[in-house]
Amino acid sequence: MKTFVLHGDFVSAPEPGRLETVRGGYMALENGVIQGLFPVLPERYRGLPVADYSGKLILQSFADMHLHAPQYPMLGLGMDLQLLEWLHAYAFPNEAKFRDPDYARLEYARLSRDLIRAGTTRAVMFSSLHTDATLILMEELEKAGITGYVGKVNMDRNATPGYQETTEESVSETIRFIEESARFRKVRPIITPRFTPSCSDRLMEELGRIAKEYGLYVQSHLSENLQEIEWVRELHPDCSEYWETYDKYGLFGDHTVMVHCIWSSERERRAMREHNVLAVHCPDSNVNVCSGLFPVIRMLDEGTWVALGSDIAGGADYHMNRVMTGAIRTSKARRIQSGWKDRFLQVTEAYYLGTTAGATYFGAGKGFSAGDRLHAIVVDESSFPENGNLSLQERLERAVYLMDEKNIAAVFSDGEQVVGSSV
Ligand code: GUN
Ligand code: FE
């Protein structure tokens, strides 16, 4: 059923730090599209079937703007290593296993199911080098009801024997990936140079050309780790900053997803704003592989577009509510380091970053906007410790800190119910 009324306690974040709350409200949906959210159901919608979640929270679902799908099986491994050692010891060998399509089917079905049950309905992800496994990933995401962008990873240098492409293979397989993924409706291809050290200048040039020719967005990593930044400087002595190594090849434009940006200078951050680049903050990963503490408050105050990512498996948790609390903890650590001068991220801001900030990447409006297809989760708080009459903002705060899949009674994605018994 896609034309119905949703009833419950609604909390959305149309702006960072501003909530829109309706206790006991009614949301009317026509073919999965939000018509409006009302404190009292208007006459014209009476008679429609009601999905009655009275007493439960109805929140925006999550957007995970960066994760590595083939790193899911290695979740929680290699956490004593720093980025570059971790890539060689864990990431590359684990990703290489996805040359086997049966293994890919099994693992990607599991990942897709786990993400949707945790309330992630939108995602932007890296796959592995393998075109066939990448197409399998897209198929499994669509089946589970997840919308988003998936990239076949490109690497023609500095990887590992058996898990690296020639420049020619990388180019022809990227084109095959783009053309074969035209059959998917909810998951689209995105151009994915892994990061500058993984891609020769010729490959970067070709990828820039392909992105332009097919009109595709780009995703990559930027200014994550100090050793990595030094390495990029040696590889591109003609560029004074890391972002220029992408920009030089047309890989730093509108809606480019640049992941991490922990160490970005003022000039690099300005370039992101001028090019409408999305900076993805992955707090769990940044601390796990000892990269640094992302300056989220500075980025927001400067007006840089920031959203959140789990970055599994550098991040060891795909629950986006816990990525939100990770972002809050990182900003508090920065406050402590600043001698208690810097302010820290509020829960309402973190909720915005994990929902609306990512949703707008997909063309959605802010919060629960009329005209958007519904992306929402229903939270059953009955397993939380009892604490009398809380405000809707306090209930949101608790949900952000405490919930996991056992509290998620229903998930709606792209206007359809994909978890929970349907209306
Ligand atoms: N930089 C290049 N590849 C990776 C990766 O797989 N994870 C993280 N965190 N950073 C990267
Ligand atoms: Fe990553």
Side-chain angles (χ1 to χ4, degrees):
M1 185 111 34
K2 291 203 253 174
T3 297
F4 64 102
V5 171
L6 196 56
H7 178 51
D9 298 333
F10 292 84
V11 182
S12 61
E15 303 292 338
R18 185 170 73 81
L19 295 181
E20 202 167 281
T21 60
V22 188
R23 192 188 290 272
Y26 297 87
M27 179 186 279
L29 292 130
E30 240 174 71
N31 284 322
V33 176
I34 300 172
Q35 306 299 303
L37 175 56
F38 314 98
V40 177
L41 188 63
E43 192 61 44
R44 63 186 183 281
Y45 298 120
R46 297 200 180 155
L48 287 182
V50 178
D52 188 356
Y53 294 109
S54 10
K56 294 192 173 62
L57 273 178
I58 302 177
L59 306 180
Q60 290 175 257
S61 60
F62 306 127
D64 187 342
M65 302 305 285
H66 179 66
L67 65 96
H68 297 261
Q71 293 177 13
Y72 189 49
M74 56 176 269
L75 205 64
L77 289 173
M79 300 278 88
D80 289 340
L81 299 175
Q82 290 212 29
L83 176 69
L84 299 178
E85 295 83 54
W86 174 87
L87 280 176
H88 282 273
Y90 283 92
F92 296 158
N94 274 281
E95 291 184 18
K97 296 181 196 167
F98 285 79
R99 74 169 68 83
D100 173 358
D102 295 334
Y103 178 72
R105 177 74 63 191
L106 193 76
E107 293 301 331
Y108 287 153
R110 184 175 298 173
L111 169 68
S112 305
R113 184 201 59 201
D114 289 351
L115 289 177
I116 199 74
R117 285 188 186 166
T120 296
T121 64
R122 293 177 167 109
V124 181
M125 52 182 90
F126 280 47
S127 172
S128 57
L129 300 187
H130 317 100
T131 303
D132 293 337
T134 306
L135 295 167
I136 290 170
L137 171 60
M138 295 170 102
E139 219 170 281
E140 291 301 325
L141 290 168
E142 277 213 345
K143 264 198 246 167
I146 297 170
T147 64
Y149 292 88
V150 172
K152 173 222 164 313
V153 168
N154 298 99
M155 289 206 281
D156 70 344
R157 66 175 181 186
N158 296 320
T160 203
Y163 191 57
Q164 183 171 298
E165 312 156 297
T166 64
T167 311
E168 290 68 28
E169 273 166 354
S170 194
V171 169
S172 63
E173 284 298 294
T174 299
I175 290 169
R176 181 164 82 86
F177 153 64
I178 295 166
E179 294 188 341
E180 293 199 20
S181 62
R183 68 177 190 265
F184 300 110
R185 285 190 314 108
K186 300 194 178 194
V187 185
R188 273 167 280 165
I190 183 165
I191 296 299
T192 309
R194 183 178 203 114
F195 66 157
T196 298
S198 301
C199 299
S200 68
D201 295 7
R202 232 185 83 227
L203 179 55
M204 293 279 249
E205 193 179 326
E206 289 290 330
L207 293 176
R209 189 185 54 74
I210 294 169
K212 186 161 178 229
E213 183 182 332
Y214 288 88
L216 297 178
Y217 295 152
V218 175
Q219 62 176 349
S220 197
H221 295 92
L222 179 67
S223 298
E224 175 178 12
N225 165 292
L226 293 174
Q227 255 181 311
E228 167 212 15
I229 295 168
E230 198 42 52
W231 192 14
V232 170
R233 219 187 300 279
E234 287 163 19
L235 292 168
H236 287 264
D238 56 316
C239 293
S240 66
E241 296 195 326
Y242 195 161
W243 67 277
E244 295 169 77
T245 66
Y246 296 117
D247 190 43
K248 186 160 72 165
Y249 300 108
L251 296 165
F252 194 85
D254 178 40
H255 279 71
T256 292
V257 176
M258 281 286 146
V259 182
H260 302 306
C261 314
I262 300 168
W263 301 101
S264 295
S265 69
E266 202 174 322
R267 183 166 161 265
E268 189 161 274
R269 301 196 305 270
R270 181 162 16 98
M272 286 187 243
R273 291 193 293 281
E274 285 172 0
H275 291 77
N276 199 33
V277 162
L278 172 69
V280 181
H281 175 26
C282 307
D284 191 28
S285 168
N286 293 166
V287 174
N288 286 343
V289 290
C290 266
S291 297
L293 303 175
F294 180 82
V296 71
I297 297 296
R298 183 162 67 204
M299 291 279 208
L300 290 177
D301 288 352
E302 286 176 348
T304 308
W305 186 11
V306 179
L308 299 180
S310 65
D311 193 23
I312 59 173
D317 200 335
Y318 56 87
H319 297 82
M320 288 303 292
N321 57 300
R322 291 208 280 265
V323 172
M324 294 174 194
T325 60
I328 295 169
R329 279 189 205 98
T330 293
S331 84
K332 288 181 177 173
R334 284 188 68 100
R335 172 167 166 76
I336 295 164
Q337 294 269 289
S338 77
W340 284 267
K341 281 206 304 287
D342 296 352
R343 74 172 188 91
F344 59 82
L345 196 69
Q346 306 290 294
V347 177
T348 51
E349 292 173 301
Y351 176 52
Y352 172 88
L353 292 180
T355 57
T356 299
T360 58
Y361 186 86
F362 300 85
K366 298 172 166 201
F368 288 128
S369 283
D372 280 355
R373 303 182 76 76
L374 180 64
H375 282 259
I377 59 173
V378 176
V379 182
D380 177 346
E381 302 149 277
S382 55
S383 74
F384 299 166
E386 181 53 42
N387 196 323
N389 276 338
L390 299 176
S391 68
L392 281 181
Q393 180 165 337
E394 288 170 324
R395 285 171 61 195
L396 167 76
E397 178 170 2
R398 265 220 164 163
V400 166
Y401 274 90
L402 302 184
M403 76 174 142
D404 61 28
E405 41 277 275
K406 76 173 176 298
N407 304 103
I408 299 184
V411 178
F412 295 86
S413 176
D414 202 36
E416 294 192 49
Q417 183 163 4
V418 291
V419 172
S421 47
S422 61
V423 186

